[in-house]
Amino acid sequence: MESMHVSLILIGIFVLYPRTGALLKLDKPVLFGPSVATEGSVVDFYCEIPGKPATLPVLYELYVETNQNKVIGGHSSLSGEIATFPLVINTQHDGQLICKASGNNTDIESSFSEGLDLKVIVPVEGVTIISHPSSNNVWEGQTLTLQCKKTKGTYVFYNWFWNERPVEMAYDRTDDTLIIHRLSARNTGHYMCVASNRFNDTMTFNSSSDVLSVQVKEYVSKPEISVDVVKLKDGGFKAIISCRSEKGTPLNTFSLLNNTDIITTETSDSTSMLFSVPLELNRYMGHVSCNASNEGNWVLSEPADLTVESVGGAVTVTPFTHTGRDFQVVGLVLRCKVERGTFPFYHWFLNNSRLEGQGGFYAVAWSDESVLSLSVGQDSAGFYHCEASDRFDNSTSIRSPRMLINKEALNRVSPVVAVVVFTSFAVLNVALMACCIYGVVLREFITSLI
Ligand SMILES: *[C@@H]1O[C@H](CO)[C@@H](O)[C@H](O)[C@H]1NC(C)=O
Ligand SMILES: *[C@@H]1O[C@H](CO)[C@@H](O)[C@H](O)[C@H]1NC(C)=O
Ligand SMILES: *[C@@H]1O[C@H](CO)[C@@H](O)[C@H](O)[C@H]1NC(C)=O
Ligand SMILES: *[C@@H]1O[C@H](CO)[C@@H](O)[C@H](O)[C@H]1NC(C)=O
Ligand SMILES: *[C@@H]1O[C@H](CO)[C@@H](O)[C@H](O)[C@H]1NC(C)=O
Ligand SMILES: *[C@@H]1O[C@H](CO)[C@@H](O)[C@H](O)[C@H]1NC(C)=O
Ligand SMILES: *[C@@H]1O[C@H](CO)[C@@H](O)[C@H](O)[C@H]1NC(C)=O
């Protein structure tokens, strides 16, 4: 049997060979044609048994491997010509095409070609973005899933854009979906997807979605509370309580609490709120705090003491010296302090005329103007004093004792004790900071120098 098979091939009648019994089998046909085609195009596929004797009639049939019952092309080759299958391409042709060759005699066994892969390209169309959760209600910390949906298209690939730039590789992407974990305000912006498929190097089909606007909402942050006092025309006072959060997508709701009782609740389209409550000076008014929310999550500020004491007691001026290379005092920093008072404010005077802001030899510093920096010289000699009043009411003030400042008076101190050497007026501020941080210790030390 084996030797007969071999000899049949050798003498060239290799189309037929005997198998068990009288059955003969056709040689394997060869199928060729394009591997990519667009839907609706007309494309020819060809099938033949190479070297088949022209006289042998063969029926060629074409079908898709996944649907062997449905013949999509047939050709009877009676005089040895190659079989041609002109196909109007549709999506059912996508897959592996197989050509079947059969003789017109039941004694001849059919044979099959190798599969030919065909990709049917349907140009992509109708792209939209589906957002989970809905793009108009996304909160920081959530996961946002954007899916690029198409109405048509095969062998599609997707590109995502954020504010017209391709999205970073760091995002989690799967096929048509973009997933953004732990959203933050940085993810706010305009998203778009472009779906494409390619027929050949020169033919690409694209479809773009509309721009989807995503605003990542932020939870209101812990508010900072601060209290200011205003004098009213009728002589009374009110406290202006400011409640300010760093962030928080409006609307934000703020509550004002006195200890644990809610006094009032207001809603704002910004991240801060001002509350105003009547105030009596020098009386216990409780501790207030504020409580902010924009999505059911209440955040409570630290409490602030609402008891406001007006200025009272003695006013003192403490000098800090500033010496040059020759250990001579070249500058001074004066600090004014009142014994009592929640919102003190200070005024400085030289020979009873007010010193404001900055002049040739001085500068008034700090928000309560409690500090006066001086360079010591001809112009600056004289009697200095300061006055303290309430920031919210300057109608009454308390004076400090006067202090004579001139070069001679200052340099009566032994130079050896002036340890710290500075070289310019500009570094006074540094000295000042140091003084205030180590105030208690230095004050003792420095006042002993003067
Ligand atoms: C086989 O084909 C030949 C040539 O066309 C034809 O004469 C013959 O009748 C066919 N036989 C069958 C069984 O169809
Ligand atoms: C791509 O396909 C088009 C349409 O069939 C054809 O005109 C073009 O020459 C092809 N380009 C390449 C590079 O094959
Ligand atoms: C399709 O998009 C690709 C890149 O996304 C671009 O290079 C190409 O020019 C676009 N083609 C068309 C027809 O818009
Ligand atoms: C806060 O409560 C205290 C009593 O606990 C009361 O004396 C005070 O007047 C209250 N303050 C305000 C601003 O309502
Ligand atoms: C904050 O205020 C809300 C409503 O005004 C209240 O329900 C909540 O208990 C308050 N939270 C705290 C910690 O006081
Ligand atoms: C301040 O008064 C003293 C004493 O009367 C005087 O010596 C000094 O020059 C005055 N200083 C200024 C800047 O007017
Ligand atoms: C007190 O304050 C009022 C209003 O701020 C101002 O016009 C006035 O000049 C001040 N008086 C003094 C003595 O500083």
Side-chain angles (χ1 to χ4, degrees), residues 7-247:
S7 63
L8 275 176
I9 290 169
L10 287 178
I11 57 171
I13 316 167
F14 43 81
V15 178
L16 300 171
Y17 63 93
R19 282 184 86 205
T20 45
L23 209 58
L24 299 174
K25 187 176 182 183
L26 287 170
D27 255 5
K28 205 180 181 82
V30 175
L31 172 64
F32 48 98
S35 57
V36 189
T38 51
E39 186 188 39
S41 60
V42 181
V43 174
D44 290 337
F45 289 87
Y46 305 94
C47 189
E48 68 170 341
I49 298 174
K52 177 188 74 67
T55 52
L56 184 74
V58 175
L59 174 64
Y60 293 100
E61 288 170 310
L62 186 67
Y63 59 88
V64 183
E65 202 248 345
T66 49
N67 188 3
Q68 306 198 1
N69 298 325
K70 186 171 178 196
V71 175
I72 57 173
H75 184 109
S76 295
S77 175
L78 302 176
S79 49
E81 82 279 8
I82 188 167
T84 307
F85 308 106
L87 285 189
V88 181
I89 298 295
N90 66 46
T91 50
Q92 289 176 3
H93 297 147
D94 189 87
Q96 236 184 18
L97 300 184
I98 289 175
C99 173
K100 176 184 179 186
S102 12
N104 71 346
N105 183 326
T106 50
D107 288 348
I108 303 173
E109 199 186 326
S110 302
S111 66
F112 301 87
S113 71
E114 296 287 341
L116 171 72
D117 286 324
L118 175 65
K119 282 185 183 178
V120 175
I121 303 294
V122 178
V124 64
E125 271 180 29
V127 169
T128 50
I129 299 179
I130 311 250
S131 169
H132 289 284
S134 163
S135 62
N136 52 31
N137 195 30
V138 290
W139 286 86
E140 60 181 333
Q142 284 184 332
T143 296
L144 178 66
T145 304
L146 300 179
Q147 192 190 4
C148 194
K149 278 274 209 195
K150 58 181 164 56
T151 55
K152 264 187 151 183
T154 55
Y155 300 97
V156 175
F157 53 93
Y158 299 88
N159 284 299
W160 287 93
F161 295 86
W162 175 77
N163 293 344
E164 294 177 5
R165 294 197 304 271
V167 300
E168 292 163 38
M169 285 302 156
Y171 282 121
D172 188 354
R173 294 167 65 162
T174 55
D175 187 38
D176 63 349
T177 303
L178 178 73
I179 301 168
I180 309 167
H181 299 282
R182 288 181 300 281
L183 280 171
S184 74
R186 288 176 306 130
N187 301 118
T188 290
H190 302 295
Y191 289 81
M192 188 177 82
C193 82
V194 177
S196 313
N197 54 7
R198 185 173 292 149
F199 170 55
N200 64 19
D201 287 348
T202 54
M203 278 185 73
T204 305
F205 307 99
N206 290 347
S207 175
S208 307
S209 70
D210 286 338
V211 164
L212 178 80
S213 189
V214 174
Q215 197 218 347
V216 180
K217 297 183 185 175
E218 295 181 295
Y219 295 106
V220 70
S221 60
K222 178 176 169 173
E224 291 284 333
I225 195 167
S226 63
V227 178
D228 205 1
V229 179
V230 172
K231 187 179 184 180
L232 302 171
K233 285 208 174 67
D234 66 7
F237 298 92
K238 67 177 181 184
I240 306 289
I241 300 160
S242 150
C243 194
R244 178 177 302 278
S245 288
E246 206 50 15
K247 57 172 195 152

Side-chain angles (χ1 to χ4, degrees), residues 136-390:
N136 52 31
N137 195 30
V138 290
W139 286 86
E140 60 181 333
Q142 284 184 332
T143 296
L144 178 66
T145 304
L146 300 179
Q147 192 190 4
C148 194
K149 278 274 209 195
K150 58 181 164 56
T151 55
K152 264 187 151 183
T154 55
Y155 300 97
V156 175
F157 53 93
Y158 299 88
N159 284 299
W160 287 93
F161 295 86
W162 175 77
N163 293 344
E164 294 177 5
R165 294 197 304 271
V167 300
E168 292 163 38
M169 285 302 156
Y171 282 121
D172 188 354
R173 294 167 65 162
T174 55
D175 187 38
D176 63 349
T177 303
L178 178 73
I179 301 168
I180 309 167
H181 299 282
R182 288 181 300 281
L183 280 171
S184 74
R186 288 176 306 130
N187 301 118
T188 290
H190 302 295
Y191 289 81
M192 188 177 82
C193 82
V194 177
S196 313
N197 54 7
R198 185 173 292 149
F199 170 55
N200 64 19
D201 287 348
T202 54
M203 278 185 73
T204 305
F205 307 99
N206 290 347
S207 175
S208 307
S209 70
D210 286 338
V211 164
L212 178 80
S213 189
V214 174
Q215 197 218 347
V216 180
K217 297 183 185 175
E218 295 181 295
Y219 295 106
V220 70
S221 60
K222 178 176 169 173
E224 291 284 333
I225 195 167
S226 63
V227 178
D228 205 1
V229 179
V230 172
K231 187 179 184 180
L232 302 171
K233 285 208 174 67
D234 66 7
F237 298 92
K238 67 177 181 184
I240 306 289
I241 300 160
S242 150
C243 194
R244 178 177 302 278
S245 288
E246 206 50 15
K247 57 172 195 152
T249 304
L251 298 169
N252 292 308
T253 301
F254 294 92
S255 286
L256 181 67
L257 290 85
N258 180 11
N259 298 315
T260 54
D261 303 334
I262 293 173
I263 301 180
T264 173
T265 297
E266 302 267 1
T267 297
S268 161
D269 58 8
S270 80
T271 55
S272 63
M273 174 62 78
L274 293 179
F275 295 103
S276 149
V277 296
L279 187 75
E280 241 181 88
L281 299 183
N282 306 315
R283 188 174 92 77
Y284 174 76
M285 294 297 287
H287 282 81
V288 287
S289 51
C290 68
N291 183 350
S293 162
N294 63 352
E295 188 55 14
N297 61 318
W298 287 94
V299 275
L300 189 64
S301 73
E302 295 297 323
D305 187 351
L306 199 55
T307 307
V308 176
E309 192 182 30
S310 51
V311 291
V315 175
T316 50
V317 172
T318 313
F320 301 92
T321 55
H322 163 55
T323 53
R325 280 186 206 288
D326 54 1
F327 300 105
Q328 295 286 295
V329 174
V330 294
L332 267 185
V333 171
L334 304 179
R335 176 138 197 240
C336 190
K337 181 121 183 59
V338 65
E339 235 176 288
R340 294 192 304 272
T342 312
F343 294 105
F345 193 81
Y346 300 92
H347 292 151
W348 289 95
F349 299 86
L350 166 56
N351 289 356
N352 292 323
S353 21
R354 172 107 187 260
L355 298 175
E356 280 181 283
Q358 212 162 345
F361 57 88
Y362 72 91
V364 178
W366 286 27
S367 59
D368 60 359
E369 306 200 348
S370 60
V371 166
L372 178 68
S373 305
L374 283 181
S375 66
V376 174
Q378 283 290 315
D379 300 345
S380 61
F383 291 96
Y384 287 81
H385 80 272
C386 76
E387 294 181 11
S389 58
D390 288 313

